[in-house]
Amino acid sequence: MFEKLTELITNYVEVKKEDIKPESRFMEDLGFSSFDFMSMLGELEDELDVEIDQEEAANIRTVQEAADYLESMRG
């Protein structure tokens, strides 16, 4: 899941794949705007066929948190 996320992240912000770490924060470290973040989540919902809870998504700060959350969604 982390690998899939890093690929997707590079579509939204100017960052090298190898610079994305599990502890990288979307806004502070990777330069996401809240619009970029929500757009990426929408794309993930479509790709993974899951529905992401907006309140829970608001608590996601790091790439690893997002990966863990998505893994749990897939069950």
Side-chain angles (χ1 to χ4, degrees):
M1 186 57 67
F2 181 78
E3 193 65 30
K4 181 180 232 5
L5 268 174
T6 56
E7 281 178 36
L8 205 53
I9 287 167
T10 60
N11 294 338
Y12 285 89
V13 291
E14 294 288 321
V15 65
K16 291 185 188 137
K17 207 171 162 180
E18 58 270 14
D19 292 338
I20 302 170
K21 309 280 184 251
E23 64 276 7
S24 295
R25 296 168 298 174
F26 286 100
M27 310 291 182
E28 297 89 338
D29 302 326
L30 303 176
F32 268 74
S33 69
S34 49
F35 177 78
D36 292 331
F37 187 67
M38 296 315 280
S39 298
M40 184 187 72
L41 291 181
E43 190 172 333
L44 282 165
E45 283 182 322
D46 294 343
E47 272 190 40
L48 303 175
D49 196 30
V50 295
E51 191 167 322
I52 297 170
D53 182 281
Q54 298 301 315
E55 283 183 29
E56 291 199 33
N59 294 322
I60 294 172
R61 298 281 179 254
T62 68
V63 177
Q64 189 61 56
E65 287 173 5
D68 293 344
Y69 177 71
L70 292 166
E71 283 293 342
S72 74
M73 294 288 291
R74 295 175 75 191

